[in-house]
Amino acid sequence: MACSLKTGFSVSGSCEAIFGTTDKGSSIGALPLALTPKEFLGKSLDVSNQIGFSHWNVKPPRPISIDAQASICVSRAQRWWDKTLKPNMVEIHSAKELVDSLLNAGDRLVIIDFYSPGCGGCRTLHPKICQLADSNPDAIFLKVNYEELKAMCHALRIHVLPFFRFYRGAEGKLCSFSCTNATIKKFKDALGRYGTERCSLGPAKGLDESELLALASIGQLSRNESLDNPVKKGFEEFLLSGLDLSDSNNLGLKESTELLMA
């Protein structure tokens, strides 16, 4: 946004600023309506050594132009997705961070919350998710901003918001669904079913092999990146098989990428 501020030159109030004061020290009033260059209040003026009105070199100030670029920025206090977060709620900023968080969670229940700042349903649901996180301190809530990680969300086939995925230990993905404030019971039922403590044999599984391959195909994960995961062997064998991972047809990623927001 650009704005231009123009300042004109005007004389108001007494004329003392221009002509000084009279011999008696009093300020001179406003100028008469009709003046000749050599008259003032009916008296002759000696302007032989002065510069006449017509020759005054008084120039109005140049117009001031101010170019200001308005940036749309939301202050931290206004970012609803940052409000009332609990200690077990973690913001995810990359695919690697998501993979590592799932693998390092052990047997703890992990809930991935896919949201968008512009999603009205996400905003309405956010306070209740925070309350549920507070009442389930052993669970880990991973928050994924769809707008920030759109490519990753497409690879994971997330096309409706708000969307949730539940993971636990060696079992990997337990369930996934979309729910709103009106259907929050679906979320509570999943918490009741999978939130109880359990011991699963083996290391945490995390994302499915197909999802890891999808992320690798779009450069979200490095080929040489070490993945401490039960599917690592199959993942590496697939990478070394000579298939062209840049071809999304191999991964079935040609589905519609239209995002639905509740």
Side-chain angles (χ1 to χ4, degrees):
M1 177 180 63
C3 64
S4 177
L5 302 177
K6 296 183 179 180
T7 306
F9 179 82
S10 61
V11 179
S12 60
S14 68
C15 296
E16 180 179 354
I18 299 178
F19 299 103
T21 58
T22 62
D23 293 338
K24 296 181 180 180
S26 61
S27 298
I28 299 175
L31 291 173
L33 294 177
L35 289 177
T36 64
K38 295 185 179 182
E39 289 185 347
F40 182 71
L41 296 180
K43 297 181 181 181
S44 298
L45 294 177
D46 182 8
V47 293
S48 59
N49 295 323
Q50 305 293 332
I51 300 176
F53 288 101
S54 61
H55 299 287
W56 279 20
N57 188 22
V58 178
K59 296 181 180 179
R62 294 181 179 180
I64 301 174
S65 178
I66 298 178
D67 293 327
Q69 182 176 1
S71 59
I72 302 175
C73 47
V74 184
S75 67
R76 192 168 186 83
Q78 295 174 322
R79 293 171 55 168
W80 61 263
W81 57 95
D82 284 338
K83 291 183 178 179
T84 63
L85 292 181
K86 305 306 174 184
N88 56 335
M89 302 181 78
V90 181
E91 188 76 25
I92 295 298
H93 299 288
S94 68
K96 183 180 184 305
E97 191 174 338
L98 176 63
V99 171
D100 290 344
S101 297
L102 288 171
L103 297 181
N104 295 330
D107 286 332
R108 296 177 67 182
L109 177 65
V110 180
I111 302 168
I112 306 178
D113 175 6
F114 296 90
Y115 73 95
S116 171
C119 172
C122 302
R123 180 170 186 170
T124 304
L125 190 61
H126 177 71
K128 288 191 175 181
I129 298 299
C130 292
Q131 292 176 3
L132 291 171
D134 189 40
S135 59
N136 294 270
D138 291 333
I140 301 174
F141 289 71
L142 304 179
K143 296 179 61 62
V144 176
N145 187 332
Y146 179 90
E147 300 303 327
E148 180 183 345
L149 299 171
K150 190 172 295 185
M152 185 190 81
C153 292
H154 284 177
L156 297 179
R157 302 182 183 182
I158 305 300
H159 304 302
V160 59
L161 296 177
F163 196 82
F164 302 91
R165 282 188 174 187
F166 283 56
Y167 290 81
R168 188 156 207 162
E171 298 178 66
K173 184 169 63 176
L174 303 172
C175 65
S176 59
F177 55 87
S178 175
C179 76
T180 63
N181 197 40
T183 58
I184 188 65
K185 184 178 183 300
K186 189 186 300 185
F187 190 97
K188 293 179 178 179
D189 290 344
L191 266 180
R193 181 177 181 181
Y194 301 112
T196 57
E197 292 186 7
R198 64 180 72 184
C199 180
S200 56
L201 299 177
K205 181 179 178 181
L207 298 181
D208 294 336
E209 180 180 358
S210 62
E211 294 173 330
L212 295 173
L213 293 172
L215 292 173
S217 72
I218 59 173
Q220 295 289 309
L221 291 178
S222 171
R223 170 175 175 170
N224 297 323
E225 185 177 2
S226 176
L227 297 175
D228 185 14
N229 191 290
V231 300
K232 175 183 176 182
K233 183 177 180 181
F235 178 63
E236 291 179 342
E237 289 176 351
F238 190 92
L239 290 175
L240 297 175
S241 65
L243 291 178
D244 183 7
L245 292 179
S246 63
D247 184 4
S248 60
N249 291 330
N250 292 329
L251 304 173
L253 298 178
K254 297 190 68 176
E255 71 280 359
S256 171
T257 58
E258 180 181 359
L259 176 67
L260 301 178
M261 294 185 182

